[in-house]
Amino acid sequence: MVQNSFFCHDASSVVHGSTNEIVRSLGLPTSTQWIQNTVWLYNCEVGASIHRVAISSFSSMQCGEGAETMSDTTAITSISCTLYHVPLATVLSDARHGQHTHFELVIVKIQSRDNVEGIGYTYTGGKGGSSIKAMIDDDLASLLLGQDSTCIAQLWDKMQWHVHYVARGGIASFAISALDIALWDIRCKRAQMPLWRLAGGFQQRVRCYGGGIDLHLTESELCANVMKYIENGHTAVKIKLGKPTMAEDVSRVRAVRRAIGDEHTLMVDANMGYSVAEAIRAAKEFSKSNVLWFEEPTIPDDLAGTRRVGVEGGIAVAGGENLHTIHEFAHAINYGRLDYPQPDPSNIGGITGWLKVATLCEAHNLPVCSHGMQELTVSLLAAVANAGWMEVHSFPIDQYTKAGPVQAVNGFAHAPDVFGTGVEFVPCMSLLGVLLEFQAMHFLTLLMDAGAREANFISSVSK
């Protein structure tokens, strides 16, 4: 039983203490009769900044209605969330999203009463990170505080329905993903097991491929780029489509096939850039170059159109990064065409959501693949029996982890055997107060913390 416990958190940290200590720190009357299981929000002045502060109280933890009161040692005692803007080494481009100068990384830390800390995260292509952070801070953190961190399935369901009416499948899926991943990190650390074993433990190595965001490259630069993937241990590569003419796309596919040879696997990705009719014509041409799959040939909402691309174009269809609920995957599989489903744990509801899609795929005799977050998906694919291909994405989140970039050896990557999810960010990722401003094509980093001077490749934005 947990009684009269209050936690005060802002965007950068979590402050906890006795009821009266926190009440006094906010200038509130200590004689107030606080009501259990409620949350109050205040704006409080911290230094020169105004921070949104949540005070929550709780009286007990239960897993499911009617369950017995559980030990308070696994209660969630604090949640913090930080948003980073991470500059890319070079500007990347694709057909639908345009130029990428940076990506956003939202990192969540959850602490339990038994002093186990879980780290979770999600990412964006450069937009929406502040909205994701706001949903975590304003809507979801207060929901989870005081709950039993072992009840991941229950908490996942609670979070889904808590914001379902306003955010189903959109920002909510990203926010829930970060929190869910942190809860799984706690579960694995508490069990002293690596994620790939605790989530299923099928086999430690998974097939992988180099996934380029490379539409900005000339044809010769493209061929040189894919050969770097081959030199770095990959036996499969994926390139972007979406040049001004279809003839250019076809020429690039043929050039890459000649460069890598017939012994290597080739995939293509249109990022929803084609109409259905265009995609069917293109598919017929790509098939001549022995392409394994045609990823996101058109918008995922057009289920009938996507099915036509696969059937009339005579090619396998991949996709999933823009499907953010298990129901969207079910519709795509049942009514559209999805030969290689690619759930992304950053936007499908985290590890819990990804495993649900993996089970759905297995029930339809389909492999489950991945999109992005290779530092995490290597463990998820290693956990399941129907693992397909793992993408090594061009957003190098793994570069900022203690384990470093995921390595490919003869076309395979190996899941880490460390306790937890295996994803722990380097210390600079927890420095606060570094503001990144963009000016034309250059990054101007304003260092507001002396410790951040050694980490000027990263920026943090917190509100």
Side-chain angles (χ1 to χ4, degrees), residues 59 91 120 133 174 296 330 340 371 415:
S59 60
V91 178
K133 183 181 184 307
F174 287 82
E296 289 197 316
Y340 291 93
H371 175 269

Side-chain angles (χ1 to χ4, degrees), residues 394-417:
S394 291
F395 287 173
I397 299 174
D398 53 352
Q399 178 180 321
Y400 303 104
T401 65
K402 289 186 176 180
V406 173
Q407 301 296 319
V409 179
N410 296 323
F412 289 88
H414 284 72
D417 251 335

